[in-house]
Amino acid sequence: MELKNDLFLRTAKGEKTERPPVWLMRQAGRILPQYRKLRASLSGFKELVETPHLAAEVTIQPVDELDVDAAIIFSDILVIPEVMGLEYKMVEKVGPRFPETISGMDDVNRLISGKNAADELEYVYEALRITKRELNDRVPLIGFSGAPWTLLSYMVEGGGSKTFSKAKKFLYTQPEAAHALLDKLTETIIIYLKNKIAAGADLVQIFDSWAGILSPEQYNEFSLPYIRKICEAIDEAPVTVFAKGAWFAMENMGDLPCQVIGLDWNTKPSFARRILGEKRVVQGNLDPCLLYAPHDEIRKHTLEMVNVFGGHHIVNLGHGVYPDTPLDGVKCFVDTVKSL
Ligand code: CP3
């Protein structure tokens, strides 16, 4: 079946389009009253992630409510560490916690990886198949994974952190174990993304959410080579790489064999264009907090950004939308782009 709205995919593939497509990272989530209602009726976040027809339902909610140009499968990046052998808990109002963490080579050696791990995530693939069917080709469906470094940081740290100093210490003090873990993650992520594409994902995005805490040298050694390996292995669908805080690596990002580069809100659009060139497809990058502002401001900044990027651009925020963002601010942002 042909997609009814393929603006997002055509832009990702480098075509010139009538207007830029728009969607929001974390659009499937707490900004929507229908999400909050469903979520309140369940035992927790993981029940939603692990029940395919419910994950499909919340994936489609923002397409119905906001009329965005793409859907992103409802899931979490932490399903990969879990299936490799480190169970996670999502603690209400706190965030993810790993009761067991990785502290050395012995722990790394115990992890399951590659096909043996990735093929266990059948509930994710089933959610994609259901979503694809129920979306009925209205818009493309995005699949995703955490980048190896970002997943390593949770597995070593045991949860979120301001500094991620434990994870960084691991890189400095046990580089061999770090590389072994990154290899295992990379192997698993490649199969996982291929499985997601086979189950219906039209594009896959890699989230390197903690790129920005590494030094440029560490980023070049412990993150980029693994992202490159993933990009090189995926040729079944376009790939977006979103590395938050990695403006210092912009030149190297530009050389990645991926179709789209995601930009965070600290990156000046003119700077990104200067480094990446006019033709590189970019995604982003309004400050999520702008959506709290008066609508005139939202419109003004959105139009300014679209103007500076000047095409080959997928409109999005510079990181996930915050849960308490007013829905009318989100709608103003989407409608501004859709009226172009
Ligand atoms: O973008 C979407 O709409 C799709 C769904 C999605 C979720 N997590 C749902 C979610 C995606 C793409 C993710 C990715 C993810 N998860 C990342 C990378 C993107 C980023 O934000 O940098 C990271 C770092 C995680 C790990 C994670 N999951 C954290 C730190 C948290 C807790 C913080 C929070 O927002 O509460 C989660 C939970 C989570 N993942 C929620 C949602 C909707 C909130 C769960 C709830 O309580 O309902």
Side-chain angles (χ1 to χ4, degrees):
M1 257 289 274
E2 295 261 307
L3 283 161
K4 294 177 189 88
N5 171 356
D6 63 353
L7 203 55
F8 169 77
L9 271 188
R10 281 192 285 128
T11 305
K13 289 175 182 164
E15 286 179 35
K16 263 196 147 160
T17 49
E18 11 349 331
R19 67 162 172 86
V22 58
W23 70 282
L24 293 89
M25 291 187 275
R26 289 283 178 101
Q27 64 189 14
R30 288 166 297 186
I31 52 163
L32 297 176
Q34 45 282 61
Y35 173 90
R36 293 197 297 268
K37 185 160 171 253
L38 175 60
R39 176 73 170 71
S41 72
L42 303 172
S43 64
F45 174 72
K46 286 182 87 171
E47 185 181 352
L48 189 46
V49 167
E50 291 166 9
T51 312
H53 76 274
L54 297 179
E57 182 180 333
V58 295
T59 300
I60 298 172
Q61 283 172 353
V63 182
D64 290 335
E65 180 69 34
L66 307 169
D67 204 20
V68 282
D69 295 309
I72 179 162
I73 191 69
F74 186 83
S75 187
D76 204 85
I77 60 170
L78 303 176
V79 302
I80 285 286
E82 179 159 82
V83 84
M84 290 175 72
L86 280 196
E87 194 206 347
Y88 77 96
K89 298 193 178 342
M90 195 58 78
V91 185
E92 297 291 331
K93 300 197 167 64
V94 176
R97 282 289 171 274
F98 286 88
E100 305 204 22
T101 55
I102 300 291
S103 54
M105 194 61 110
D106 288 348
D107 298 331
V108 176
N109 286 337
R110 273 195 292 272
L111 294 171
I112 307 160
S113 65
K115 197 167 154 48
N116 288 343
D119 284 355
E120 289 296 311
L121 287 167
E122 186 50 39
Y123 64 83
V124 179
Y125 312 132
E126 181 61 8
L128 281 150
R129 288 190 288 267
I130 297 174
T131 305
K132 197 68 186 164
R133 199 159 62 230
E134 293 184 352
L135 264 180
N136 202 15
D137 291 300
R138 284 159 68 193
V139 291
L141 178 57
I142 302 169
F144 67 86
S145 170
W149 152 246
T150 286
L151 294 180
L152 175 150
S153 68
Y154 280 107
M155 293 167 88
V156 172
E157 200 77 36
S161 159
K162 270 205 178 118
T163 57
F164 278 96
S165 56
K166 270 194 211 155
K168 290 182 71 177
K169 177 179 163 194
F170 189 67
L171 303 187
Y172 281 121
T173 58
Q174 301 193 70
E176 267 180 47
H179 281 298
L181 177 51
L182 292 164
D183 269 329
K184 281 194 154 184
L185 282 162
T186 302
E187 238 189 292
T188 311
I189 291 166
I190 289 171
I191 312 274
Y192 178 54
L193 291 178
K194 284 181 185 280
N195 287 350
K196 276 186 157 175
I197 296 165
D202 297 292
L203 173 148
V204 290
Q205 175 159 332
I206 299 168
F207 286 92
D208 204 359
S209 305
W210 303 118
I213 63 165
L214 292 182
S215 71
E217 292 76 18
Q218 280 188 318
Y219 198 64
N220 281 333
E221 178 176 351
F222 294 101
S223 189
L224 263 184
Y226 297 95
I227 292 178
R228 168 173 287 275
K229 214 168 163 186
I230 297 168
C231 295
E232 282 168 352
I234 305 288
D235 51 14
E236 300 85 347
V239 178
T240 298
V241 177
F242 172 67
K244 188 173 176 302
W247 55 270
F248 57 82
M250 190 70 69
E251 282 184 23
N252 299 333
M253 303 283 303
D255 290 335
L256 283 175
C258 66
Q259 282 64 37
V260 184
I261 295 178
L263 303 170
D264 66 27
W265 77 86
N266 285 124
T267 311
K268 258 178 125 171
S270 57
F271 169 79
R273 273 286 172 244
R274 193 160 69 240
I275 307 286
L276 299 172
E278 296 301 317
K279 290 277 166 65
R280 199 71 157 107
V281 183
V282 293
Q283 175 174 278
N285 75 339
L286 275 192
D287 182 355
C289 290
L290 180 70
L291 303 189
Y292 297 112
H295 290 188
D296 283 353
E297 287 292 307
I298 297 177
R299 272 191 286 274
K300 185 178 126 212
H301 288 280
T302 303
L303 293 173
E304 251 172 42
M305 168 188 65
V306 167
N307 202 21
V308 178
F309 279 123
H312 298 298
H313 174 214
I314 295 162
V315 179
N316 206 310
L317 302 176
H319 199 191
V321 61
Y322 297 138
D324 65 343
T325 308
L327 204 51
D328 62 350
V330 176
K331 288 184 173 170
C332 173
F333 169 62
V334 174
D335 292 344
T336 301
V337 182
K338 298 206 71 160
S339 63
L340 285 170

